[in-house]
Amino acid sequence: MLREEFQDVLSKLNPAWKAYSDELDRTGQKPRTNPDGDVDLEGVRFADFVVPECAECAAEGHPGSILKLEVIFFGESIPDKVKERSFSMVDESDRLLLVGTTLATFSAFSPYRRAEIPSGRLVKHALEQNKPVLLLNLGPARTDNIPQVEKIELPSREVLLEACRLLAGSRVSEDQTLSRLLTSGVVKPPDMEDQKDTVSSAAR
């Protein structure tokens, strides 16, 4: 399911929340964002929020299953296959770059041995192999007292945007989608019908 389709389903199931969101857009108000990224919403009832059911799960005989983005949310357990793949990627690399993280979760950094807690202690795993580790992040981090971990204390957005510009070179001015992405940070994929029209026009 496309993100836009999922948003439409959420809006239909939660008209009060849709009205609340529309009102924020209309007035230009922005809810307060906490340092951890959570947003404080006032005057809403979370208990009334309806999460869409997974239609495919229901068709397979598992009604009542909810839709969930294919991401790992804060506080969730990391699947074993993801843990092992993370370790393998560190094994196959010659260095480790961490971007925009305080390493507060033990999944990224831990003083324990991998055999004791096999859930992706990536920094320690890289250091055990004497691989260079670089952290790009503003503010305190769990590795600040570890001399083997270098740190660049700059906004990750600015650094990554400049890196993309340097890597893209002349494509930035030639590719409208890439240019919009580097300018706004958000880009909607081109409509497939629009792409077909563009190709047809070019062919003529």
Side-chain angles (χ1 to χ4, degrees):
M1 177 181 289
L2 296 175
R3 181 64 181 85
E4 292 80 4
E5 295 175 1
F6 182 67
Q7 189 63 48
D8 289 340
V9 173
L10 283 177
S11 298
K12 290 176 182 177
L13 292 176
N14 300 278
W17 284 80
K18 175 66 164 58
Y20 177 80
S21 176
D22 290 344
E23 181 65 13
L24 290 179
D25 290 339
R26 186 185 67 79
T27 60
Q29 292 181 320
K30 294 185 180 297
R32 184 169 67 87
T33 302
N34 297 325
D36 61 0
D38 289 346
V39 175
D40 278 339
L41 300 177
E42 298 179 358
V44 296
R45 284 178 49 84
F46 294 95
D48 295 337
F49 191 86
V50 179
V51 180
E53 183 181 29
C54 174
E56 291 185 11
C57 299
E60 294 175 358
H62 305 286
S65 300
I66 61 174
L67 280 174
K68 178 183 177 297
L69 299 176
E70 196 173 0
V71 298
I72 300 169
F73 289 104
F74 186 84
E76 288 186 316
S77 297
I78 301 176
D80 289 340
K81 63 178 182 180
V82 176
K83 300 173 189 175
E84 294 306 317
R85 183 185 176 194
S86 300
F87 275 113
S88 296
M89 293 176 72
V90 172
D91 292 336
E92 295 166 4
S93 66
D94 57 5
R95 63 196 64 216
L96 178 63
L97 171 63
L98 304 126
V99 179
T101 175
T102 62
L103 298 168
T105 61
F106 285 105
S107 298
F109 174 80
S110 173
Y112 300 106
R113 295 196 303 271
R114 178 183 178 187
E116 293 173 343
I117 307 180
S119 59
R121 293 12 183 179
L122 303 181
V123 172
K124 188 168 188 297
H125 190 54
L127 294 177
E128 287 173 344
Q129 300 181 42
N130 295 316
K131 294 183 176 181
V133 177
L134 175 63
L135 171 64
L136 171 61
N137 190 64
L138 283 174
R142 186 182 289 272
T143 55
D144 284 347
N145 295 324
I146 301 179
Q148 299 97 315
V149 178
E150 295 187 67
K151 184 180 181 182
I152 298 177
E153 196 153 356
L154 289 171
S156 57
R157 180 181 184 276
E158 296 178 8
V159 175
L160 293 178
L161 282 175
E162 186 60 27
C164 288
R165 291 190 185 97
L166 291 173
L167 290 171
S170 61
R171 285 188 56 206
V172 175
S173 58
E174 300 168 357
D175 189 323
Q176 293 184 356
T177 300
L178 180 59
S179 178
R180 287 199 303 272
L181 179 60
L182 291 175
T183 302
S184 67
V186 178
V187 64
K188 183 178 180 181
D191 185 81
M192 294 305 296
E193 292 300 322
D194 291 343
Q195 287 187 325
K196 292 178 182 178
D197 294 341
T198 302
V199 172
S200 299
S201 299
R204 290 197 293 270

